[in-house]
Amino acid sequence: MDTQLDTFFAALSDPTRRAVIERLTQGPAPVSELHAPHDMALPSFLKHLRRLETAGLIRSEKTGRVRSVRLAPEPLRQAEDWLNRQRKLWEGRTDRLQALAEALERKPS
Amino acid sequence: MDTQLDTFFAALSDPTRRAVIERLTQGPAPVSELHAPHDMALPSFLKHLRRLETAGLIRSEKTGRVRSVRLAPEPLRQAEDWLNRQRKLWEGRTDRLQALAEALERKPS
DNA sequence: GCGATACTTAGCCAAATGGATACCCAACTC
DNA sequence: GAGTTGGGTATCCATTTGGCTAAGTATCGC
């Protein structure tokens, strides 16, 4: 059904890819710089970048032989929204349960 | 590195599993009830439940022949925290960039 | 206690994932 | 214009994933 969130969460389920995201919060960077800290062959690393890009989390642009990569504007918020909604529903429910429990305790029938 | 977030996001990357989470925000349910809306053989569905449980998102307890499943207390917030942190870092940066751009515009050297 | 109910385990299979190597191509550098 | 640098492509490989069927176990209801 919801391919958006699918590829989104899948993209974030890998430590290499999350590290790339974290790095990019500090600003755009070329591929080689993003690759440097990761002990991995470049083609393997490029796969991760492509997965992030098809998930819509990053964008990139090539100038000369250098490809510059940056975070995409909106999409982190989408996943966050989903999580937030679920958590609120769940917390609302437990709150009501606590209220019920307390009510029963005050007035044990 | 961070196996916590790995299994966490991976668990949320599947629509069946997200649907289970959504259902569980309304309260605990037995396996058969969770399974009902999904057009899938029970053993396949149980794999999803096991993945959610090893990711720490749900807990379950068997009474008689029925296994009751409920949301785990804390963990939705963890993923949310990570996303929130990244988003804030990124937004902070773009804010500073905007401020810089505006400053340059006001006082073009 | 016998059948139905509610899982559970054991295997099988195709496709996707995450890594590798080997080789290619374009664009700066001198 | 020859070499180096920064990516990119093509394969290959082992493992994981997400589905299945078949068969098992342990209540529960009568």
Side-chain angles (χ1 to χ4, degrees), chain B residues 2 5 7 17 19 25 27 34 44 49 51-54 59 77 79-80 100:
Chain B
D2 195 350
L5 282 176
T7 58
R17 291 192 290 264
T25 60
L34 292 174
S44 312
L49 284 187
R51 252 155 95 54
L52 284 171
E53 189 148 21
T54 62
R59 302 206 183 153
R77 201 189 299 265
E80 208 185 339
L100 177 62

Side-chain angles (χ1 to χ4, degrees), chain A residues 83, chain B residues 8 55-58 71-80:
Chain A
L83 288 168
Chain B
F8 206 98
L57 278 163
I58 64 173
L71 272 191
E74 347 67 35
L76 277 186
R77 201 189 299 265
Q78 287 194 19
E80 208 185 339

Side-chain angles (χ1 to χ4, degrees), chain A residues 7-22 24 31 34-60 67 69-71, chain B residues 1 6:
Chain A
T7 58
F8 205 98
F9 282 123
L12 293 177
S13 74
D14 182 279
T16 301
R17 291 193 290 263
R18 282 198 308 278
V20 169
I21 297 294
E22 294 188 16
L24 288 178
V31 169
L34 291 174
H35 172 227
H38 301 283
D39 189 19
M40 179 188 300
L42 181 59
S44 311
F45 184 74
L46 285 179
K47 278 198 194 174
H48 287 298
L49 284 188
R50 243 168 279 133
R51 253 155 95 53
L52 284 172
E53 191 149 18
T54 62
L57 278 163
I58 64 173
R59 303 207 182 153
S60 69
R67 175 172 298 275
V69 183
R70 61 191 166 79
L71 271 191
Chain B
M1 188 182 286
D6 280 16

Side-chain angles (χ1 to χ4, degrees), chain A residues 102-109:
Chain A
E102 284 167 15
L104 288 175
E105 200 152 319
R106 274 197 305 278
K107 192 182 71 167
S109 57

